[in-house]
Amino acid sequence: MGKLQKHFTSEAHKSALTDYCNYMKKSNNIDVMLDKTVREQKIQEESNQSFHKEVICILLDVTKTLARQGLAFRGKDDDENGNFRQITYLLSRHCPLLKKWLDDSCYRSYHSTYLSPQSQNKFITILASSVNKIIRAKVKEFGQFSVMAYTTPDLSHTDRLSVVVRFVNNEGRAEERLIEVREALNKTGVGMANDILDTLQKNELDPDNFVFQSYDFASSMSGVFNGAQQKLTEILGRKIPYIPCQAHRINTFIEHGCEASIIISDMFSVMQELYVFFSSSTKRYSPLLNKLADIEIALKLRNLSKTRWTARAEAIKSVWSSFNIIIEVLDEITNTKDKFDKSTRNAAYSLSKRLISVDFVVSISFMKNVMYKMKL
């Protein structure tokens, strides 16, 4: 060990270094300790920092609550009436600390309150980064993982790729965690494969621990020759077993099975026409709601999901449980000339006849059992 190394590890050097660090803290400087005015200023600064930290913690809690409940932070036009601001205002009526923060905003530079859309987005980013860090740590701790990925358009008609990792914890239970949602610019098999690998690398997950993959039945994902599952195997230079998504498999099976039967397809058409008939007019929907309110097991009509066929079980159940009431209301509309016009009465009559047909009754009786078995 050299002389310099001995000096750095000596107690005298460590003590001197501690004294220097204390001196560098302004609150411990000798001039601060001797000057009462300066000392009071420093105390006030520390008090303000503590005050600001408490406020930020409250605002982060508001952010976490809204995110957990899946609620929008702000409206389209007026941010003042957004959920984030209104919940903050509500808390301020019961929290003196938060009220003081809002009331004193006019005395701060730029009148800052941290309630702006930019601040809200910053809070979301901070929390997302924190959650992502925890997820990465868990995946790394348990080692091997599989990947599930799926693309879907959002409200802005932009294709989004969701990447989920699945792993087994120390208790032997499987866990699934979403690690990223990104824009899918290249929807070919190669593009998807590169996006998935880039996501893993960006989140510091070792591709060597990537052992299984599962996607839907889209050719760009599950294709044997040019799908993402095959391209990932080629890029990584080793076989990564591909398991088709069972939820998508069941959904596809039900969809094609139902479409193979004209009678079943017609049953769904009648159900959709029934939903549109009542939901498009409050005048028609009102008598139905009044009668449904008197029946304990009755359910409101539901729209048919265009993508999740297994979700149609709920729509079938609502019609089946309220079948007699629906027929009764349709007959009332048909026979009430003073309230409804001719076209409405004709539509109600037509729907009533189709609902009580043998094909419809047998089909819905059969499908309610099949759909609920598949929904599990």
Side-chain angles (χ1 to χ4, degrees):
M1 182 182 292
K3 293 183 178 179
L4 202 57
Q5 183 64 26
K6 287 183 179 180
H7 173 73
F8 286 152
T9 57
S10 67
E11 291 299 324
H13 176 78
K14 292 179 179 179
S15 177
L17 187 60
T18 301
D19 291 340
Y20 175 74
C21 290
N22 288 333
Y23 175 77
M24 292 303 293
K25 292 181 180 179
K26 292 184 178 180
S27 58
N28 293 331
N29 285 2
I30 190 66
D31 58 335
V32 173
M33 299 176 68
L34 295 177
D35 192 323
K36 182 179 179 182
T37 303
V38 176
R39 187 167 68 252
E40 289 176 350
Q41 289 177 350
K42 295 303 176 184
I43 292 173
Q44 185 61 42
E45 284 181 10
E46 292 178 1
S47 176
N48 288 340
Q49 287 180 356
S50 176
F51 171 63
H52 294 164
K53 285 180 181 178
E54 291 186 55
V55 171
I56 295 300
C57 286
I58 295 174
L59 296 179
L60 283 170
D61 276 341
V62 173
T63 305
K64 284 191 287 187
T65 301
L66 290 173
R68 182 187 183 280
Q69 298 302 111
L71 299 175
F73 279 63
R74 45 192 181 271
K76 283 186 176 180
D77 301 317
D78 188 5
D79 181 54
E80 185 65 25
N81 290 321
N83 290 329
F84 186 88
R85 280 181 175 268
Q86 290 303 314
I87 290 179
T88 302
Y89 295 154
L90 171 63
L91 291 175
S92 69
R93 293 197 287 272
H94 304 277
C95 176
L97 183 140
L98 190 57
K99 186 177 187 307
K100 184 178 186 310
W101 166 264
L102 296 176
D103 291 343
D104 292 350
S105 63
C106 58
Y107 303 116
R108 291 192 293 273
S109 58
Y110 305 107
H111 297 179
S112 60
T113 60
Y114 294 136
L115 301 184
S116 67
Q118 293 76 16
S119 295
Q120 295 173 35
N121 290 342
K122 188 64 176 178
F123 291 146
I124 295 172
T125 302
I126 291 172
L127 292 177
S129 177
S130 176
V131 171
N132 185 263
K133 184 177 180 180
I134 294 172
I135 292 173
R136 292 202 310 265
K138 290 189 71 173
V139 177
K140 291 177 182 178
E141 177 186 356
F142 300 124
Q144 297 179 330
F145 60 87
S146 61
V147 169
M148 297 180 289
Y150 180 67
T151 58
T152 186
D154 60 13
L155 292 176
S156 64
H157 304 290
T158 302
D159 278 316
R160 299 290 178 181
L161 173 66
S162 302
V163 181
V164 176
V165 292
R166 182 181 175 92
F167 55 91
V168 178
N169 60 27
N170 288 335
E171 297 176 355
R173 291 200 302 266
E175 294 188 29
E176 294 178 4
R177 294 291 183 268
L178 175 69
I179 57 173
E180 188 171 336
V181 177
R182 61 190 298 167
E183 184 177 357
L185 298 174
N186 185 348
K187 294 194 69 176
T188 64
V190 175
M192 291 297 183
N194 287 329
D195 282 344
I196 291 171
L197 282 178
D198 183 62
T199 299
L200 296 179
Q201 292 167 356
K202 181 180 175 182
N203 287 275
E204 301 174 1
L205 300 180
D206 189 354
D208 289 340
N209 292 328
F210 178 14
V211 292
F212 288 100
Q213 51 184 331
S214 179
Y215 316 117
D216 60 20
F217 284 92
S219 58
S220 62
M221 301 300 290
S222 61
V224 178
F225 301 106
N226 295 312
Q229 61 101 358
Q230 177 60 27
K231 293 303 177 183
L232 280 168
T233 293
E234 294 175 3
I235 293 171
L236 295 178
R238 58 187 175 85
K239 180 65 177 176
I240 304 177
Y242 166 65
I243 303 172
C245 175
Q246 296 304 309
H248 282 92
R249 174 176 282 181
I250 292 174
N251 194 77
T252 304
F253 170 77
I254 294 175
E255 180 181 358
H256 290 294
C258 291
E259 289 178 348
S261 170
I262 297 177
I263 296 176
I264 299 299
S265 296
D266 184 63
M267 179 204 74
F268 283 119
S269 297
V270 174
M271 289 177 56
Q272 184 64 18
E273 290 176 25
L274 184 68
Y275 174 80
V276 173
F277 177 79
F278 282 109
S279 63
S280 61
S281 170
T282 55
K283 188 177 180 180
R284 295 194 290 263
Y285 206 21
S286 180
L288 179 62
L289 286 177
N290 292 336
K291 289 186 178 293
L292 290 177
D294 298 331
I295 307 299
E296 184 177 352
I297 61 171
L299 299 172
K300 293 181 181 179
L301 296 179
R302 297 197 178 194
N303 194 11
L304 298 180
S305 173
K306 293 182 180 180
T307 54
R308 294 183 62 241
W309 276 69
T310 52
R312 296 191 174 199
E314 301 295 337
I316 292 175
K317 184 178 181 181
S318 65
V319 174
W320 178 259
S321 63
S322 311
F323 188 79
N324 292 333
I325 295 174
I326 293 171
I327 298 296
E328 184 180 336
V329 173
L330 287 173
D331 289 343
E332 285 183 8
I333 294 175
T334 302
N335 298 318
T336 308
K337 296 182 179 181
D338 57 332
K339 286 187 178 181
F340 301 99
D341 56 32
K342 186 177 180 180
S343 62
T344 300
R345 288 186 282 113
N346 287 341
Y349 178 78
S350 176
L351 280 171
S352 177
K353 291 301 180 184
R354 295 174 70 183
L355 283 173
I356 62 176
S357 67
V358 175
D359 285 346
F360 184 87
V361 174
V362 173
S363 297
I364 195 171
S365 177
F366 172 73
M367 288 303 297
K368 71 179 177 68
N369 295 316
V370 173
M371 296 295 280
Y372 258 86
K373 290 289 185 182
M374 296 296 185
K375 190 173 182 291
L376 298 176

